[in-house]
Amino acid sequence: MGSMLKNKNILVMGVANKWSIAWGIAKKFIEEEANLIFTYFGEKSKANLEKFLVEEEIDNPCLISCDVSTDENIEKAFSQIKERVDVLHGVVHSIAFANKDELQGYYYNTSREGYLLAQDISSYSLVAVSRNAKPLMTEGGSIITLSYLGAERAVTNYNVMGVAKAALEASVRYLAVDMGEDNITVNSISAGPIKTTSAKGVRGFSTLLKGFEKRVPMKRFVKTEEVANTALFLCSDLGTGITGENIHVDCGYHIVG
Ligand code: NAP
């Protein structure tokens, strides 16, 4: 336990359950004394969060409902955040969604509706969240999102989500330019495969992981805690000079052919 995030108000979006990357990040941030605000989507996720925060002995937690599929919802969530804190120092955007039946088979079969849905929830939401976060980030800060190698390579079955992640990574660069003069950094962490609810939605995810340990330079899977450590670094005073980056935290998987 340290105090790398002491006096920092950080918004964490995307905790669904104990396997969620966002929960791994939140736990790490709690250890480092951050004051966390959470948004949740499903009621089940809310109930999980409430339970986890009791276990972490967090008094009076701030949990706000936010379905990122509309600007109105996001604006409403931020007006509630404003009632709770004057300044925001960080945002962790750990949200993605695509129709399960489009995370398999031929990418060319992606429907227009499914394409737009994946882009909307998984990529555009970062733009809208950043726009709403900016006025609260008056002391500078860090915005982080989660990406995957499927943005850069054609990963079997990742399909429409890979295209959404490519847009997300491009958005990170444009947002980094927009926010730079306000001392706000914007980065993505490209995590290696981790068994979460979302990951299991990609057909053949378990098959994809077979032999992974043999192919990856470090001969093992990345741990959620290692992704959380990178998020901590980016949100702490150690990461202030880094913006517009896509940092791979994948035990080196992205470098092998
Ligand atoms: P997860 O636990 O299922 O998290 C995904 C989150 O997105 C859930 O909390 C879900 O909420 C939320 N969400 C979906 N639609 C939403 C909406 N309309 N509004 C607000 N929130 C919504 O899975 P995860 O693996 O931790 O995913 C987090 C991020 O990491 C995603 O961007 C994912 O693509 C990325 N990532 C994952 C891996 C991996 O291998 N797991 C690797 C690289 C990157 P509900 O559950 O309440 O619906």
Side-chain angles (χ1 to χ4, degrees), residues 98-110:
N99 289 326
K100 202 172 170 182
D101 59 3
E102 294 187 311
L103 296 170
Q104 60 181 300
Y106 290 110
Y107 169 65
Y108 59 63
N109 283 331
T110 305

Side-chain angles (χ1 to χ4, degrees), residues 14-17 19-22 41-42 45 66-69 94-97 121 146-148 158 165 191-194 196-199 205:
V15 177
N17 50 48
W19 299 283
S20 294
I21 294 174
F41 178 35
S45 302
C66 185
D67 170 358
V68 297
S69 65
S94 189
I95 289 173
F97 187 78
I121 306 301
L146 272 300
S147 192
Y148 182 61
Y158 202 62
K165 292 297 190 192
I194 296 172
T196 64
T197 309
S198 287
F205 180 73

Side-chain angles (χ1 to χ4, degrees), residues 154-168:
V155 173
T156 308
N157 293 331
Y158 202 62
N159 295 1
V160 70
M161 186 58 81
V163 177
K165 292 297 190 192
L168 180 75

Side-chain angles (χ1 to χ4, degrees), residues 218-236:
M218 294 177 76
K219 308 296 177 207
R220 65 169 177 83
F221 288 96
V222 73
K223 298 178 192 136
T224 303
E225 193 184 357
E226 293 173 306
V227 176
N229 283 338
T230 303
L232 168 63
F233 161 68
L234 288 171
C235 274
S236 76

